[in-house]
Amino acid sequence: MTHKTTSQGDGTIVLTPNNEADQSATIVICHGLGDTAQGWEDVARNFASKLPYAKFILPTAPTRKITMNMGMSMPGWYDIVGLDKRSNENCPGIDESQTRILDILKSENDAGIHYNRMVLAGFSQGAALSLYTGMQLPAEAGPLAGIVAMSGYLPHASGFNITPGLESTPIFHAHGAVDPLVQITAAKDSQEMVKEKGATSYKLEIYEGLAHSANPKEIGDVMAFLEEVLPPKDDCKIKLKDPSEMSIKELKAAIQKAGLGRQALGLMEKSEFVDLVKNHRAGKL
């Protein structure tokens, strides 16, 4: 196993390199409507086995009522009113979800991972959110290493504008030719609209016989894209503060973030907290 897995209270699943100091890239994967982070954990593990230096963050969308599904409550990044173009302009909740993803990316950047060492990926509604968010980062962030959109589309097109400087962000859009939910015409329209807005590197790969799903060929192509845009790069490794130089507050925050609450039970001395964090980073737990 190249990574250790932790789960957070909001449903987020994180796969971190066994030795945290080896991290030099971050990949965020957003699930589709009605799903959770668990639905893509196995795929993330597959990617992680070939990208031992990448950290994977799989957030879970909040539960909300979905108009298109007769008002049923389910995990969703925003409400979906309908599948036609006009309905696609009405996406209540997308701004909040965009902010949440931006906060995840900023947190990784604050920890020492540059935006150009991050990929934003997703499936269906999660792909739509990734495309919408990834091409509209703050100008000071610069472009991501890439964006992966599986069975996705561009939401709220009238409110979408590419941030100057992000036009060259590599986009890999994988889509089933017989998708009955997000039809192939929506994928082609999305590519056309994003390119009209200035995108210069938008590849749409169509998979014959594939419906609203992912198959091994598509996952393999996504893996190849990730390896291309996020090659090993030791000089981009995360810079971690030495646990022995941390305050008790910082140590407890690091322990909570790493999901080590149980291991920390009964610890009293600062040296014990320091050893716990060190052992975690070294992959000894």
Side-chain angles (χ1 to χ4, degrees):
M1 296 288 287
T2 59
H3 290 64
K4 49 182 173 284
T5 304
T6 55
S7 298
Q8 300 175 2
D10 62 357
T12 299
I13 295 175
V14 181
L15 280 66
T16 309
N18 285 331
N19 184 343
E20 285 188 70
D22 287 339
Q23 181 193 350
S24 65
T26 299
I27 298 170
V28 180
I29 303 177
C30 300
H31 63 78
L33 179 66
D35 200 359
T36 67
Q38 289 183 324
W40 285 85
E41 185 176 356
D42 286 345
V43 173
R45 289 184 186 280
N46 179 27
F47 292 156
S49 68
K50 299 174 182 176
L51 296 169
Y53 48 86
K55 176 181 179 181
F56 292 81
I57 302 176
L58 287 67
T60 290
T63 298
R64 66 174 76 245
K65 293 181 179 180
I66 303 299
T67 302
M68 184 182 69
N69 290 347
M70 298 178 291
M72 291 178 60
S73 294
M74 62 187 66
W77 296 110
Y78 50 87
D79 187 20
I80 296 180
V81 178
L83 297 176
D84 58 282
K85 286 185 179 180
R86 183 175 181 180
S87 297
N88 189 39
E89 287 298 322
N90 185 14
C91 304
I94 195 170
D95 291 338
E96 292 85 349
S97 291
Q98 180 186 31
T99 297
R100 182 177 173 191
I101 300 305
L102 288 174
D103 287 345
I104 291 173
L105 298 178
K106 184 179 184 302
S107 178
E108 288 297 294
N109 181 247
D110 290 344
I113 300 297
H114 294 293
Y115 286 92
N116 62 11
R117 291 291 294 174
M118 301 184 203
V119 166
L120 193 50
F123 176 80
S124 193
Q125 192 187 51
L129 177 64
S130 297
L131 185 59
Y132 186 81
T133 302
M135 297 302 286
Q136 298 190 103
L137 297 180
E140 61 270 19
L144 295 172
I147 296 170
V148 175
M150 294 175 280
S151 303
Y153 57 94
L154 177 66
H156 190 34
S158 63
F160 175 82
N161 289 288
I162 297 175
T163 303
L166 272 58
E167 295 88 352
S168 63
T169 305
I171 301 169
F172 180 69
H173 186 157
H175 214 98
V178 292
D179 190 329
L181 295 180
V182 183
Q183 296 184 1
I184 193 62
T185 53
K188 292 178 178 179
D189 287 347
S190 295
Q191 181 190 37
E192 182 179 349
M193 287 187 289
V194 175
K195 291 177 72 173
E196 285 179 353
K197 292 287 187 175
T200 60
S201 181
Y202 193 129
K203 180 180 181 181
L204 174 60
E205 190 73 27
I206 301 173
Y207 297 83
E208 295 300 325
L210 182 64
H212 195 64
S213 183
N215 62 19
K217 176 66 167 64
E218 177 183 359
I219 296 300
D221 288 346
V222 171
M223 182 70 249
F225 175 79
L226 294 176
E227 290 177 314
E228 178 183 350
V229 300
L230 288 176
K233 202 168 184 182
D234 287 345
D235 60 353
C236 292
K237 285 185 177 180
I238 194 170
K239 295 175 177 58
L240 300 172
K241 186 174 183 179
D242 189 331
S244 61
E245 297 178 359
M246 290 181 173
S247 65
I248 289 290
K249 183 178 180 180
E250 289 174 321
L251 286 166
K252 289 185 176 180
I255 288 169
Q256 181 180 14
K257 182 179 180 181
L260 299 172
R262 289 186 179 181
Q263 293 91 324
L265 289 175
L267 301 185
M268 300 291 291
E269 301 295 328
K270 178 180 178 180
S271 60
E272 294 177 307
F273 292 116
V274 169
D275 288 342
L276 178 61
V277 174
K278 284 184 175 180
N279 288 333
H280 170 70
R281 288 182 175 178
K284 296 179 180 180
L285 298 180

